[in-house]
Amino acid sequence: NVTADEAFFAGCRGGYAAVPESVMCEIAAQSGCSSVLSKPENQGKLAYFMSTTEAESLAPVLPGDRLKIKFSNLEFKSSFGKCGGVLSVDGRDVFRCSLMFAVVDA
């Protein structure tokens, strides 16, 4: 849930506040890593976010919006993985990206 008192809205002017794309990338990255770590085979391991590629902002995310995050096409090679992430509001895609990460022993 996006609330109007988020710290990144403090610098918004003119009454228009939208979540910055850099924050959308961070939301996707942290959610993706925690999703990967929730798998039984990754219990006790660490996930390191590596990169975001092909990021695309499709619509603004505003205070009061509820974000849903979906990941697809999870691929692993050794300790490295990648997946696609889609953030949506009310069933409408607002941000898409591809994520790369590493999963290593703690």
Side-chain angles (χ1 to χ4, degrees):
N1 294 325
V2 180
T3 62
D5 61 346
E6 302 290 347
F8 48 77
F9 289 140
C12 295
R13 298 173 194 221
Y16 182 79
V19 177
E21 283 80 5
S22 59
V23 173
M24 301 290 276
C25 286
E26 183 69 23
I27 291 167
Q30 288 191 28
S31 299
C33 283
S34 90
S35 177
V36 167
L37 290 176
S38 71
K39 297 187 175 296
E41 63 270 22
N42 294 327
Q43 295 298 308
K45 294 188 177 185
L46 298 173
Y48 288 99
F49 167 66
M50 305 287 284
S51 69
T52 299
T53 59
E54 302 176 25
E56 181 179 23
S57 183
L58 305 167
V61 176
L62 308 171
D65 285 345
R66 172 178 251 168
L67 281 172
K68 288 191 177 183
I69 305 167
K70 187 187 278 186
F71 297 98
S72 61
N73 302 325
L74 178 62
E75 297 177 22
F76 258 105
K77 290 184 181 175
S78 182
S79 296
F80 297 94
K82 65 181 181 176
C83 67
V86 177
L87 285 72
S88 63
V89 173
D90 295 328
R92 177 181 48 124
D93 293 353
V94 294
F95 188 82
R96 291 186 202 130
C97 63
S98 295
L99 305 170
M100 293 184 69
F101 49 87
V103 177
V104 298
D105 292 327

